[in-house]
């Protein structure tokens, strides 16, 4: 059994043919992931008891002749901003270092009901704020492809675990690119579904109107399978959508001939040259598969970063108010008064990036500035969403780079938050519009650094997105 390169199909076949049991697989996967972890710090902690119990349930179902589920025996990593009952959930923050949630996120319940085996919790930027995973209170993650480089963020641990073979698939969260950008940097597939497609119940809130639970895998099919299991209406999240969830794998039938693809000219201006070349090769491959490619315009793109960083900081400042040493979090010791206790707890507990965002967010929401910043940003958000709706009248999918450059060195952008924010330039628009988008590997630079290509489709058309990405990947995806 080649643990590091297993696919869900191989696991399914292996279990059915009784080549291995789910318990054997879980044991080996845990051993592999634990041994590999010191290299990358992808996992913050493992939950072996929970993993082995899940595997035993799968074996029992198989022994009874029952269907063990679509993810039977599949080793999964879960980003540590998604709550797990009885298993520590830190959000990469010192404040929650000891927090053990009393309930499971809906996505976690669903993936375990489908036979998934959660190995542990994946490292991430504190409260999912960051683009390099360097904002984790528990140390950065290293990119398994190049250990002196970042894995991207904020779902850097999830992407690194999948790239390293320490999980077959992973859950991440995406507010402004946090699944697609690390997927691109680590050479795996990263999916951000339509806003509302996956319940956010149990996803610790960063910016609620932008937060998504996303899926990572080494293949498009594996990521699609994971989405299939966790997607769909949930009574516990009133923003989760009623839209039926189609059979993504059945619809990924390779039929992409005649699909109309748009290349937005605003996304091809400031690319590192090798990234641009690889995306151009990717687009050529799509052409050879029979797609019609045309240039389009998404004219409000230049305002996206400013718009995003106003809305997300505003929502974050409100969402993070609950970490006050009273309702949640480890309390700072020895404060004289209540307000001192709040101040000390938050002052000692939050890292620099969270503090920066709380201050920015409180500022843009304050009376006198609300109209000038927050309200204006909401209007711009509508214009950005409208750009996409207009474009989708002409094309079936939009193809862009994921990041202007490949994985950068650890520490390289740490002192310059603006430079760091710029790495999200091509990913945040999809979140602002709430449409499905993914990153699919599209080859590597001469130095061996992976580059991802982004595909975006209409609201709830994940099936079209997977069909195109799967056809691309099966045709070689510009390997090398
Ligand atoms: N890098 C972006 C940020 O720092 C996106 C984060 C995310 O998607 N969670 O806000």
């Amino acid at each position: 059994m080649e643990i590091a390169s297993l696919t869900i199909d191989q696991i399914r076949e292996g279990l059915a043919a009784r080549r291995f049991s789910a318990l054997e697989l879980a044991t080996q996967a845990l051993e592999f992931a634990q041994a590999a972890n010191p290299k990358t710090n992808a996992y913050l902690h493992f939950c072996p008891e929970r993993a082995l119990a899940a595997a035993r349930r799968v074996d029992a179902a198989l022994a009874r002749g029952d269907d063990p589920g679509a993810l039977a025996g599949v080793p999964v990593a879960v980003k540590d901003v998604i709550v797990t009952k009885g298993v520590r959930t830190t959000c990469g923050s010192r404040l929650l270092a000891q927090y053990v949630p009393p309930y499971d996120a809906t996505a976690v319940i669903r993936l375990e009901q489908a036979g998934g085996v959660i190995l542990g919790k994946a490292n991430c930027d504190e409260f999912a704020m960051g683009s390099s995973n360097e904002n984790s209170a528990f140390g950065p993650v290293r990119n398994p492809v190049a250990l002196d480089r970042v894995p991207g963020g904020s779902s850097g641990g999830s992407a690194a675990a999948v790239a390293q073979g320490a999980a077959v698939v992973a859950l991440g969260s995406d507010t402004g690119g946090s699944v697609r950008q690390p997927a691109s940097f680590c050479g795996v597939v990263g999916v951000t579904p339509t806003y509302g497609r996956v319940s956010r119940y149990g996803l610790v809130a960063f910016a609620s109107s932008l937060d998504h639970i996303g899926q990572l895998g080494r293949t498009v099919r594996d990521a699609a399978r994971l989405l299939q299991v966790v997607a769909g209406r949930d009574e516990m999240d009133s923003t989760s959508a009623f839209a039926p969830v189609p059979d993504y794998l059945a619809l990924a039938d390779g039929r992409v001939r005649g699909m109309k693809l748009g290349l937005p000219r605003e996304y091809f201006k400031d690319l590192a040259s090798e990234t641009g070349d690889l995306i151009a090769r990717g687009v050529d491959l799509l052409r050879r598969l029979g797609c019609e490619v045309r240039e389009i315009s998404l004219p409000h793109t230049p305002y996206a970063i400013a718009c995003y960083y106003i809305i997300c900081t505003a929502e974050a400042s409100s969402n993070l108010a609950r970490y006050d040493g009273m309702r949640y979090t480890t309390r700072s010791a020895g404060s004289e008064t209540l307000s001192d206790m709040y101040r000390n707890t938050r002052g000692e507990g939050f890292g620099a990036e969270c503090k920066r965002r709380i201050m920015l967010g409180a500022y843009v929401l304050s009376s006198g500035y609300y109209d000038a910043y927050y309200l204006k940003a909401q209007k711009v958000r509508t214009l950005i969403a409208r750009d996409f709706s207009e474009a989708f009248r002409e094309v079936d999918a939009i193809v862009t780079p994921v990041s202007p450059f490949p994985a950068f060195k650890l520490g390289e952008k740490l002192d310059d938050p603006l430079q760091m924010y710029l790495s999200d330039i091509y990913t945040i628009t999809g979140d602002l519009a709430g449409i499905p988008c993914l990153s699919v590997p599209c080859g590597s630079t001469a130095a061996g650094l992976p580059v991802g290509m982004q595909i975006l489709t209409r609201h709830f058309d994940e099936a079209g997105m997977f069909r195109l990405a799967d056809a691309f990947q099966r045709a070689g995806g510009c390997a090398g």
Side-chain angles (χ1 to χ4, degrees):
M1 181 163 38
E2 262 309 320
I3 280 283
S5 61
L6 277 178
T7 63
I8 296 181
D9 280 333
Q10 288 167 352
I11 293 173
R12 183 181 281 228
E13 284 158 22
L15 288 175
R18 300 283 195 268
R19 272 202 300 281
F20 47 81
S21 68
L23 190 62
E24 283 163 353
L25 172 58
T27 310
Q28 282 196 36
L30 270 169
E31 266 171 25
F32 180 90
Q34 282 168 330
N37 211 46
K39 244 202 241 168
T40 57
N41 201 24
Y43 282 92
L44 288 174
H45 36 272
F46 292 92
C47 48
E49 283 166 27
R50 185 164 177 154
L52 300 182
R56 283 195 188 95
R57 285 197 298 275
V58 169
D59 285 333
L62 285 167
R64 286 194 306 270
D66 293 346
D67 175 6
L71 293 182
V74 174
V76 188
V78 174
K79 184 177 181 179
D80 213 20
V81 292
I82 299 174
V83 302
T84 38
K85 184 175 177 177
V87 175
R88 237 170 348 123
T89 301
T90 67
C91 299
S93 177
R94 208 173 305 136
L95 280 169
L96 294 177
Q98 306 304 334
Y99 177 59
V100 179
Y103 69 105
D104 278 323
T106 299
V108 164
I109 295 174
R110 289 187 180 174
L111 84 81
E112 283 190 335
Q113 275 170 352
V117 174
I118 298 174
L119 301 185
K121 303 302 291 289
N123 202 345
C124 57
D125 285 301
E126 185 173 15
F127 290 104
M129 297 176 192
S131 309
S132 67
N133 216 121
E134 291 166 296
N135 297 334
S136 166
F138 308 106
V141 174
R142 292 174 179 276
N143 190 322
V145 180
L147 292 171
D148 58 340
R149 296 192 179 249
V150 304
S154 63
S155 310
S158 302
V162 171
Q164 195 175 23
V168 174
V169 289
L171 288 180
S173 72
D174 196 308
T175 304
S178 277
V179 164
R180 286 156 288 151
Q181 187 251 21
S184 164
F185 280 15
C186 293
V188 300
V189 175
V191 176
T192 311
T194 309
Y195 183 78
R197 186 54 115 174
V198 176
S199 167
R200 285 181 295 115
Y201 182 67
L203 168 64
V204 175
F206 157 17
S208 317
S209 78
L210 293 157
D211 292 343
H212 306 68
I213 289 185
Q215 298 71 34
L216 298 104
R218 287 186 287 273
T219 65
V220 174
R221 290 172 67 80
D222 282 358
R225 265 221 174 86
L226 179 59
L227 176 63
Q228 185 86 48
V229 164
V230 298
R233 172 71 187 170
D234 172 27
E235 284 305 313
M236 303 303 281
D237 172 7
S238 60
T239 63
S240 72
F242 286 95
V245 182
D247 184 340
Y248 296 131
L249 259 57
L251 292 168
D253 54 6
R255 280 199 269 172
V256 297
R257 185 160 295 282
M259 256 179 109
K260 294 192 188 67
L261 310 183
L263 304 185
R265 70 174 76 94
E266 295 80 2
Y267 285 61
F268 289 84
K269 278 193 201 139
D270 307 307
L271 285 179
S273 58
E274 276 188 292
T275 302
D277 291 348
L278 286 165
I279 302 293
R281 276 175 51 194
V283 171
D284 274 345
L285 176 55
L286 291 170
R287 258 197 212 103
R288 289 202 300 280
L289 291 172
C291 299
E292 289 170 27
V293 180
R294 65 181 75 167
E295 190 180 273
I296 59 166
S297 173
L298 298 170
H300 294 93
T301 305
Y303 309 108
I305 293 235
C307 169
Y308 169 81
Y309 276 97
I310 289 173
I311 295 175
C312 86
T313 54
E315 294 186 19
S317 72
S318 155
N319 276 326
L320 298 186
R322 72 191 67 160
Y323 305 109
D324 57 5
M326 195 57 86
R327 286 169 291 179
Y328 291 92
T329 67
T330 323
R331 189 176 297 174
S332 162
S335 307
E336 298 272 310
T337 64
L338 181 64
S339 44
D340 274 354
M341 193 281 288
Y342 286 154
R343 198 173 302 120
N344 294 339
T345 297
R346 290 167 67 80
E348 291 160 19
F350 280 125
E353 186 61 30
C354 287
K355 286 180 184 161
R356 180 157 38 236
R357 299 212 187 184
I358 291 169
M359 285 189 281
L360 267 171
Y363 177 77
V364 300
L365 286 176
S366 56
S367 67
Y369 293 107
Y370 182 94
D371 288 3
Y373 293 111
Y374 187 68
L375 198 63
K376 178 142 323 137
Q378 291 290 15
K379 289 179 180 166
V380 173
R381 180 178 187 173
T382 303
L383 295 175
I384 289 169
R386 212 174 277 162
D387 281 355
F388 281 104
S389 326
E390 293 287 322
F392 285 128
R393 285 197 216 185
E394 283 182 45
V395 297
D396 303 309
I398 294 173
V399 177
T400 79
V402 173
S403 163
F405 35 72
F408 44 90
K409 292 232 163 82
L410 282 148
E412 191 179 311
K413 298 191 195 296
L414 212 48
D415 298 328
D416 189 347
L418 273 182
Q419 268 302 315
M420 193 71 98
Y421 294 173
L422 281 175
S423 50
D424 307 327
I425 189 158
Y426 303 135
T427 46
I428 55 184
T429 46
D431 297 273
L432 287 167
I435 55 176
C437 27
L438 63 66
S439 172
V440 60
C442 176
S444 304
T445 66
L449 302 176
V451 166
M453 182 173 84
Q454 180 170 231
I455 297 173
L456 308 97
T457 49
R458 299 181 184 97
H459 285 111
F460 296 106
D461 187 20
E462 283 85 2
M465 174 178 85
F466 287 137
R467 175 187 290 141
L468 188 61
D470 175 57
F472 178 76
Q473 197 170 47
R474 284 203 266 171
C478 316

